[in-house]
């Protein structure tokens, strides 16, 4: 089939489809669907249809907007509660905190020094309870760690494995992190009290959610009592009845 025949076929199908739609919209036969003498009757039906459709679309758009606002208000409240819950959980159980730096066998985190000590399990030493120092020889650097119970540990780093400056920098980072860890531990009871109070406040503050819900309820009630859509439906029923009286077919 060449391009010309294909175009004719497409046009024929499109034309048949348009005729079908017109006959469906204005039932009763071709003369009632296409005849000039019945154009006023078709306009009568269109006017009633369009009036109802416009009112229903406007009402649905308004209702959809109110429902979306209510969902957003609910989601915002849940998000604020989750954030406040996280703020409570952190000072209660801070864990290791954020990672900072490391050398072999020792990892510095915000609240602990994680030590992989030979012949022992991996251990978390709370920074607020430790002391650390280093000394150096021509062949190795030595890190001395004193735990909260007073027990001491030694980590040795040959210079060919790790330069002295890296060990010095790491020990300095640990020492600088210790005051912040001590301050955090000192302030934990206060932080817990404040975050718990904020969580209660956020949970109880349902103003936005309540207002959005009330607006939705008010709009739903208003639309239920709005006479315009029922009246437009009655007008369309009247247009259908006139069409039926004219053609013997009632539009759907």
């Amino acid at each position: 089939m060449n391009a010309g025949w294909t175009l004719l076929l497409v046009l024929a199908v499109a034309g048949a489809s348009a005729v079908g739609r017109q006959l469906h919209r204005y039932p009763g036969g071709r003369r009632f669907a296409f005849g000039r003498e019945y154009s006023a009757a078709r306009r009568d039906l269109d006017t009633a249809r369009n009036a109802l459709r416009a009112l229903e679309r406007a009402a649905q758009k308004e209702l959809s907007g109110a429902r979306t606002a209510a969902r957003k208000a609910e989601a915002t409240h849940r998000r604020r509660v989750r954030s406040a819950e996280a703020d409570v959980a952190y000072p209660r159980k801070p864990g290791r905190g954020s990672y900072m730096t490391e050398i072999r066998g020792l990892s510095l985190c915000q609240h602990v020094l994680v030590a992989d000590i030979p012949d022992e399990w991996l251990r978390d030493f709370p920074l607020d309870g430790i002391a650390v120092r280093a000394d150096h020889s021509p062949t190795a650097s030595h890190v001395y760690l004193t735990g909260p119970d007073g027990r001491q540990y030694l980590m040795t780093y040959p210079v060919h494995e790790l330069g002295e400056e890296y060990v010095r920098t790491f020990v300095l980072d640990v020492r600088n992190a210790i005051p912040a860890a001590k301050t955090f531990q000192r302030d934990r009871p206060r932080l817990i009290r404040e975050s718990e109070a904020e969580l209660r406040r956020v949970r109880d503050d349902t103003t936005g959610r309540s207002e959005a819900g009330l607006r939705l309820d008010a709009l739903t009630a208003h639309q239920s009592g709005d006479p315009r859509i029922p009246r437009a439906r009655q007008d369309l029923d009247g247009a259908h009845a006139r069409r039926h009286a004219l053609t013997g077919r009632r539009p759907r």
Side-chain angles (χ1 to χ4, degrees):
M1 183 181 295
N2 60 35
W5 282 107
T6 300
L7 178 59
L8 288 175
L9 180 59
V10 169
L11 293 175
V13 170
S17 178
V19 169
R21 285 195 299 271
Q22 186 78 353
L23 291 171
H24 177 76
R25 284 182 58 81
Y26 309 105
R30 286 180 174 271
R31 64 193 182 99
F32 294 108
F34 296 97
R36 289 184 178 180
E37 66 272 28
Y38 297 108
S39 60
R42 291 194 295 272
R43 283 196 302 272
D44 176 52
L45 185 57
D46 286 340
T47 298
R49 282 171 168 167
N50 292 339
L52 177 59
R53 185 181 300 112
L55 287 171
E56 288 178 336
R57 286 178 175 174
Q60 182 58 39
K61 182 179 180 180
E62 191 177 22
L63 188 60
S64 177
R67 286 171 175 164
T68 298
R71 286 195 298 268
K72 286 183 177 178
E74 178 68 28
T76 297
H77 183 258
R78 287 198 303 267
R79 186 167 57 252
R80 293 177 61 218
V81 169
R82 287 196 299 268
S83 177
E85 289 173 342
D87 290 341
V88 171
Y90 178 68
R92 283 179 179 171
K93 294 182 179 180
R96 291 178 173 178
S98 56
Y99 167 84
M100 299 174 71
T101 185
E102 67 179 289
I103 58 176
R104 177 180 53 79
L106 295 172
S107 296
L108 176 61
C109 297
Q110 187 178 0
H111 303 299
V112 300
L113 181 65
V114 185
D116 186 5
I117 299 173
D119 302 323
E120 295 198 18
W121 293 100
L122 188 72
R123 292 189 58 182
D124 287 5
F125 291 91
L127 289 180
D128 63 315
I130 69 169
V132 64
R133 66 181 180 86
D135 64 22
H136 308 274
S137 70
T139 59
S141 296
H142 307 280
V143 175
Y144 297 89
L145 169 64
T146 303
D149 58 359
R151 186 177 177 184
Q152 293 188 335
Y153 305 89
L154 172 63
M155 307 289 286
T156 299
Y157 301 91
V159 292
H160 68 271
E161 178 185 306
L162 189 65
E164 178 182 328
E165 68 276 14
Y166 294 104
V167 177
R168 288 186 183 277
T169 299
F170 179 80
V171 171
L172 184 63
D173 288 338
V174 174
R175 286 181 171 178
N176 286 335
I178 288 174
K182 288 182 176 180
T183 299
F184 175 77
Q185 293 300 330
R186 183 197 67 199
D187 293 343
R188 274 185 71 197
R190 176 182 59 81
L191 294 173
I192 291 173
R193 290 193 304 271
E194 291 176 354
S195 59
E196 287 177 340
E198 177 64 10
L199 175 58
R200 289 192 295 270
R201 188 193 69 78
V202 169
R203 282 177 172 166
D204 293 341
D205 183 11
T206 59
T207 303
R209 185 178 65 181
S210 299
E211 289 178 351
L214 289 173
R215 285 194 295 270
L216 176 59
D217 291 342
L219 178 60
T220 302
H222 171 73
Q223 288 191 357
S224 297
D226 189 347
R228 292 178 300 167
I229 289 179
R231 187 161 55 238
R233 289 191 179 122
Q234 291 177 355
D235 291 343
L236 181 58
D237 286 340
H240 285 173
R242 291 189 292 275
R243 188 74 183 182
H244 183 261
L246 178 65
T247 67
R249 295 283 301 279
R250 186 176 183 87
R252 287 183 287 179

